[in-house]
Amino acid sequence: MRQDLKVLFYNWVPFDDDEGRGGGVSVYQRNLIEALVKQQIKVDFLSSGLAYSVESMTPEIRRTTNDHDPECRSFQLVNSPVMSPGHSAFGWNDRLFEKGAALEVFHAFLREEGPYDIVHFNNVEGIPFTFLELKDEFPQTLVVFSHHNYFPICPQVNLWSHEKAHCEDFNRGKSCVDCLVWKPPKEEIFGAQQLSTILKTNGVNATSPAFARAFTESGTPRLLSDLARTRHKDFLREDRMPVKPEEENSFARRRRLAVQILNRSVDMHLAVSERVARVLSSYGVNAASCHVSYIGTKHSQLLEKAKKRQTLADPDVLSIAYLGYMRGDKGFFFLLEALERLPHSISQKLRVKFAAKSNGDGSIFRRINEMRPRFAGLEHIDGYKHTDLPRLLADVDLGVVPVLWEDNLPQVALEVMSHGVPVLCSDKGGAQELGGNPDFVFAAGSHEGFADTLRRLQTGDVPLSGFWDTAMKLRSMEDHLKELFGLYEAGLAQIAAGQKAVNATTAPFVSTASLLTGGELDDLTQAHALNSWMMNDA
């Protein structure tokens, strides 16, 4: 990798975010930048969508602190026309395509702080999609987009419709209109962002008692739990927009224009699993510029040392564990119902462990307690830390990841597998690729499929050892960096040669459209033809 390269990363969450937002993507972003700095690559970082001034709404980019890795310069766009995270901007479809003051400020920043060889977006929440359009002014810059979620395609972020089911058909945008069961109150969010900006500008960070007290005394609620969409089921619904059948509403226009920008302006799309690449292709993203790039994880070192579960710890009892969130899209409520429906012949030989933070819903605990006598054991741990995993998984034969949405690459699946525990997952998202064995995959939302898989594992028809026969090697950050450097170099070489950047050393993702039709399709035809097929193909 060239030592004189200069890279700019974008993520909506600030580098030193004291509120712990952004989940696994923020952790990955910090780890990646840390590794690049060690390689003496010049790295800058930009965030946006959270900082708002009370004096002026004029966009500006400010230098921010970066205590985690001072050698990476950190910046923040203040007064972005698009708030983050994605749900905060739900319905702001026109703002996503603005070419106004914020875009001018961004381009001025690129001129003054660059030139950048690579601008790498880890999402586009918090900025207009037009920020991707750099080529007219910066034709030699490689534009890379890592897809950790589906925000360019889906204003709900994760193709999860009405908090109930995977989105199979957005009905030409009409299904999007009231998709959010709870619509975030933008005025309150904006006020909270302004107050947060004032406090942090004056040295009051989010971990201090003064920060929480300021929100309480101002009457401005802290909205983190609200934005998690765990409550508020019955109010603030988006009103339906009158749409004539022949017209394109703003949500349909949003998707169409977003796909056009992705195809026109992004040199290289990085999908964090093959499943993500298929999803992107099904919605019209150019498959020729899409590359599967599994993220690096520090957990890979654990798997090398872990004792892999080959047989049941207790030959008479299968022990399973669910780790994560009590959320519908993660499959938690499906799992509860599937366990309640299990035949006694399966449940009496099953030990279940839930390690999930409670959301205050007493009915969940009642359901758990009511079915407890039917199982060989049933335990609930109210949340966990990563340091707890060795203890939590010590007596577990199988981790269950029953997601109902196209979860790009669930971090919890990597964590469970890294401790030597096989993973049973649904056929949604990228978790199924970790094991690569269909015996450890069931149809998402299928109670019967889940029960049959458990039965075959209990009887030994499917041995635990079979998971490891086909399991992939977890990528270390070093493995990921080596692959990423290769992609960067190939893309820059293509640009230098006057071509649109595609990977010259690693075969790009093969378009399923070409496989099915024998040729390339236009964006919308491809999306229409493939979406239903792809969603039913594991």
Side-chain angles (χ1 to χ4, degrees), residues 5 21 52 55 67 116 201 230 379 492 515:
L5 281 181
R21 291 168 289 194
Y52 290 90
E55 295 88 5
D67 296 331
Y116 292 102
T201 301
T230 56
E379 179 182 8
L492 290 168
L515 294 176

Side-chain angles (χ1 to χ4, degrees), residues 19-40:
E19 297 184 51
R21 291 168 289 194
V25 178
S26 291
V27 174
Y28 164 72
Q29 179 74 94
R30 287 193 294 270
N31 291 341
L32 178 58
I33 287 177
E34 179 183 349
L36 286 169
V37 168
K38 287 181 179 178
Q39 296 285 331
Q40 298 184 330

Side-chain angles (χ1 to χ4, degrees), residues 108-361:
F109 169 81
L110 295 176
R111 289 191 297 269
E112 294 166 9
E113 303 297 339
Y116 292 102
D117 299 283
I118 301 162
V119 177
H120 190 152
F121 296 87
N122 272 292
N123 50 60
V124 284
E125 295 171 79
I127 53 176
F129 294 157
T130 48
F131 274 43
L132 297 171
E133 298 184 296
L134 304 177
K135 288 302 184 182
D136 286 345
E137 187 169 353
F138 307 98
Q140 298 303 309
T141 297
L142 179 70
V143 180
V144 181
F145 191 154
S146 288
H147 291 266
H148 299 282
N149 62 35
Y150 303 106
F151 183 63
I153 306 298
C154 170
Q156 163 73 310
V157 178
N158 58 357
L159 293 168
W160 181 244
S161 178
H162 296 83
E163 287 295 324
K164 293 180 180 178
H166 172 72
C167 182
E168 299 283 356
D169 181 4
F170 82 146
N171 192 21
R172 298 177 66 241
K174 288 182 281 187
S175 295
C176 299
V177 174
D178 63 350
C179 183
L180 285 190
V181 175
W182 175 68
K183 180 189 175 186
K186 294 181 175 57
E187 295 78 10
E188 291 187 27
I189 296 174
F190 181 71
Q193 304 291 32
Q194 285 184 311
L195 178 56
S196 174
T197 302
I198 292 172
L199 293 170
K200 292 180 181 181
T201 301
N202 287 278
V204 181
N205 63 42
T207 59
S208 70
F211 190 88
R213 189 166 59 251
F215 276 86
T216 302
E217 293 176 355
S218 70
T220 304
R222 296 194 67 186
L223 299 167
L224 294 181
S225 62
D226 292 344
L227 291 176
R229 295 166 293 121
T230 56
R231 302 179 184 174
H232 304 285
K233 299 294 184 185
D234 301 316
F235 64 97
L236 290 169
R237 293 177 66 92
E238 177 83 5
D239 293 334
R240 283 195 172 274
M241 299 164 55
V243 180
K244 296 179 181 179
E246 69 275 8
E247 290 181 345
E248 177 186 62
N249 76 359
S250 65
F251 289 97
R253 179 176 178 271
R254 175 198 192 276
R255 180 177 291 186
R256 176 175 60 81
L257 294 181
V259 170
Q260 288 179 1
I261 288 177
L262 291 177
N263 287 335
R264 180 174 65 241
S265 304
V266 177
D267 296 307
M268 190 177 294
H269 296 276
L270 301 184
V272 298
S273 66
E274 289 187 10
R275 187 70 177 185
V276 172
R278 284 192 174 193
V279 172
L280 294 175
S281 177
S282 77
Y283 286 105
V285 176
N286 182 16
S289 60
C290 191
H291 309 268
V292 177
S293 178
Y294 295 98
I295 65 174
T297 172
K298 294 181 179 180
H299 301 304
S300 64
Q301 299 174 352
L302 296 175
L303 182 57
E304 295 173 2
K305 302 175 183 178
K307 184 179 180 181
K308 297 174 181 176
R309 310 291 198 277
Q310 305 283 349
T311 58
L312 302 186
D314 180 342
D316 296 322
V317 177
L318 172 66
S319 178
I320 67 173
Y322 172 92
L323 281 64
Y325 299 96
M326 291 185 176
R327 275 174 36 187
D329 56 348
K330 295 293 186 181
F332 174 78
F333 298 104
F334 156 78
L335 181 59
L336 276 185
E337 188 170 323
L339 292 171
E340 289 169 336
R341 293 188 179 196
L342 283 179
H344 184 63
S345 59
I346 296 177
S347 65
Q348 68 179 343
K349 298 179 180 180
L350 188 66
R351 186 178 294 112
V352 182
K353 181 181 294 188
F354 293 107
K357 188 72 175 175
S358 62
N359 61 7
D361 187 347

